[in-house]
Amino acid sequence: MATATVPPASPAKVNRLGLEMANYKGNKSTLCAGCGHNAISERIIEACYEMGVEPHRVAKLSGIGCSSKSPAYFLRTAYGVNSLHGRMPSIATGAMLANRNLIALGVSGDGDTASIGIGQFVHLMRRNMPLIYIIEDNGVYGLTKGQFSATADIGSKLKTGVVNDLPPIDTCALAIQLGATYVARSFSGDKRQLSALLKGALAHHGTCMLDVISPCVTFNDHEGSTKSYSYVKDHDEPLADVSFVPYFEDISVDYDPGSTMDITMHDGSHILLRKLAESYDPTNKIEALRLLTESHDKGEIITGLFYVNTKPENFLTLLNVVDEPLATLPESKVRPPKEVLDQVMQALM
Ligand SMILES: Cc1ncc(C[n+]2csc(CCOP(=O)(O)OP(=O)(O)O)c2C)c(N)n1
Ligand code: SF4
Ligand SMILES: [Mg+2]
């Protein structure tokens, strides 16, 4: 009897660590189909795979909201804390102080960040803690059925017809003003730009703040909304074409230095910014704030890398935090000897 020959399965593609894309995935998403947050999870999976990030070194940190649920849908084998509403910055700070070898990946929402969590957010931004802080920004509280958040634009309309009459908080302008050292805005529907910005963030050793406009298909994707897919597509003004070349690949792209800016990141990777509007300089804080104010007044949604500064020391270096995780330090290093305690007691008597 003739037997059919089965062709051998082609080997799965692997990254520089020998891991497959599947190693970077998470649980099946329970978010609405078409939610922008799902697309952001996909970009995180790809960016970590392509950069060869070790999943067990990542700490996924979030608050409360549909956005804050999304770390369950990527990097299954990473650490994860889905914390309290608006409190992700404290949990992230504690995790990084306890183990500076971790790669902190914080995911928040516009409500989680700009409403209940604004106090925590502003203090995190002034510390230059090594952390990637992603705001999945849909202008509403998706999880609690679509009330306006503090990033909703003036004049934006809810499905019920309610119009927002308060000015939005621009989280990028706030982060730049406060001291974050890598600040960008992107759109969940722009695969290329978001991917490059995420990889740049993975190469940066300070506070990265990425505001990603991420439409809520259930509560904020209708006519009159300024965070719907169609509105963002019509008003998106990319500041530059962003490319990323990791340190482990040759920078063999041909580019004209007159129209392209090359930024070398902490790990030796490069971010290439092509066709910068009026020779925009993303290392100039004042220019970044001016650009954001002007584009907001014009009603544009400007996207791209607004500000980067690789010079300031990060919080862990500033505090002289030891290289080893605190949990693995021997007792001899963490416990003062009896004589020292006796001396303290004596001094108090
Ligand atoms: C202390 C506290 N206050 C209020 C809530 C209710 N609540 C849950 S999620 C949420 C807002 C979430 O909005 P956002 O962060 O924008 O996330 P999205 O669901 O839009 O992704 C609120 C107000 C809560 N869980 N805890
Ligand atoms: S309610 Fe909105 S934010 Fe929440 S999962 Fe659905 S589409 Fe996404
Ligand atoms: Mg939201």
Side-chain angles (χ1 to χ4, degrees):
M1 196 172 72
T3 49
T5 44
V6 182
S10 51
K13 253 178 94 181
V14 293
N15 65 7
R16 69 195 177 99
L17 298 182
L19 296 174
E20 297 171 20
M21 186 81 88
N23 296 107
Y24 291 83
K25 293 196 171 165
N27 299 336
K28 194 173 168 350
S29 174
T30 59
L31 303 182
C32 307
C35 174
H37 304 350
N38 286 328
I40 300 172
S41 296
E42 282 169 34
R43 299 294 81 73
I44 294 173
I45 292 169
E46 284 163 15
C48 290
Y49 166 79
E50 284 166 22
M51 287 290 281
V53 169
E54 294 167 288
H56 68 271
R57 275 188 59 208
V58 177
K60 304 180 290 182
L61 307 142
S62 61
I64 296 293
C66 299
S67 34
S68 292
K69 281 169 70 177
S70 67
Y73 315 133
F74 57 82
L75 300 185
R76 188 181 288 113
T77 54
Y79 298 99
V81 181
N82 184 194
S83 70
L84 296 175
H85 200 19
R87 270 60 167 193
M88 179 265 276
S90 317
I91 307 286
T93 303
M96 290 307 286
L97 285 172
N99 182 358
R100 68 181 302 171
N101 300 307
L102 293 172
I103 299 165
L105 189 48
V107 178
S108 181
D110 42 311
D112 195 64
T113 291
S115 297
I116 195 168
I118 194 76
Q120 298 234 337
F121 176 74
V122 295
H123 286 284
L124 180 70
M125 293 299 127
R126 60 194 270 270
R127 292 189 174 141
N128 203 25
M129 171 69 77
L131 163 113
I132 302 171
Y133 190 115
I134 300 172
I135 304 177
E136 301 191 339
D137 187 357
N138 51 21
V140 288
Y141 304 162
L143 191 72
T144 54
K145 301 207 178 299
Q147 304 85 349
F148 280 128
S149 79
T151 68
D153 294 302
I154 289 189
S156 188
K157 219 184 248 177
L158 288 182
K159 267 182 173 174
T160 53
V162 174
V163 176
N164 178 46
D165 46 19
L166 288 175
I169 292 177
D170 186 330
T171 50
C172 289
L174 197 56
I176 294 168
Q177 197 267 324
L178 288 165
T181 48
Y182 182 100
V183 179
R185 175 166 288 133
S186 192
F187 169 43
S188 63
D190 188 339
K191 283 189 188 187
R192 202 172 166 274
Q193 186 196 54
L194 180 53
S195 234
L197 290 171
L198 280 169
K199 289 181 201 165
L202 285 164
H204 183 70
H205 298 166
T207 300
C208 300
M209 211 296 289
L210 264 72
D211 178 49
V212 187
I213 301 174
S214 176
C216 167
V217 286
T218 305
F219 297 109
N220 205 14
D221 197 32
H222 47 272
E223 216 185 309
S225 157
T226 59
K227 299 264 196 281
S228 65
Y229 279 107
S230 61
Y231 189 91
V232 181
K233 277 182 195 149
D234 288 349
H235 294 79
D236 185 1
E237 290 288 334
L239 179 57
D241 181 38
V242 192
S243 315
F244 180 84
V245 184
Y247 69 89
F248 49 86
E249 274 175 22
D250 276 348
I251 177 160
S252 54
V253 256
D254 250 350
Y255 69 86
D256 166 16
S259 62
T260 303
M261 186 166 193
D262 177 353
I263 300 166
T264 307
M265 304 304 290
H266 285 121
D267 69 352
S269 301
H270 294 260
I271 291 186
L272 302 176
L273 302 169
R274 206 171 321 127
K275 285 190 252 126
L276 293 164
E278 299 159 27
S279 67
Y280 178 76
D281 176 6
T283 63
N284 182 331
K285 202 175 216 184
I286 307 289
E287 217 175 315
L289 293 170
R290 185 183 59 81
L291 172 88
L292 285 168
T293 312
E294 280 180 5
S295 70
H296 183 260
D297 290 348
K298 282 192 250 165
E300 292 168 356
I301 303 174
I302 197 133
T303 57
L305 181 60
F306 303 138
Y307 182 64
V308 60
N309 186 354
T310 54
K311 293 191 187 79
E313 271 190 323
N314 70 46
F315 193 53
L316 303 174
T317 307
L318 199 70
L319 290 186
N320 238 341
V321 174
V322 289
D323 289 336
E324 310 93 298
L326 301 190
T328 59
L329 286 175
E331 204 172 295
S332 59
K333 281 203 171 169
V334 290
R335 187 174 190 164
K338 184 169 181 312
E339 310 82 74
V340 173
L341 292 175
D342 286 346
Q343 277 171 19
V344 173
M345 291 308 285
Q346 280 297 327
L348 294 173
M349 287 218 279

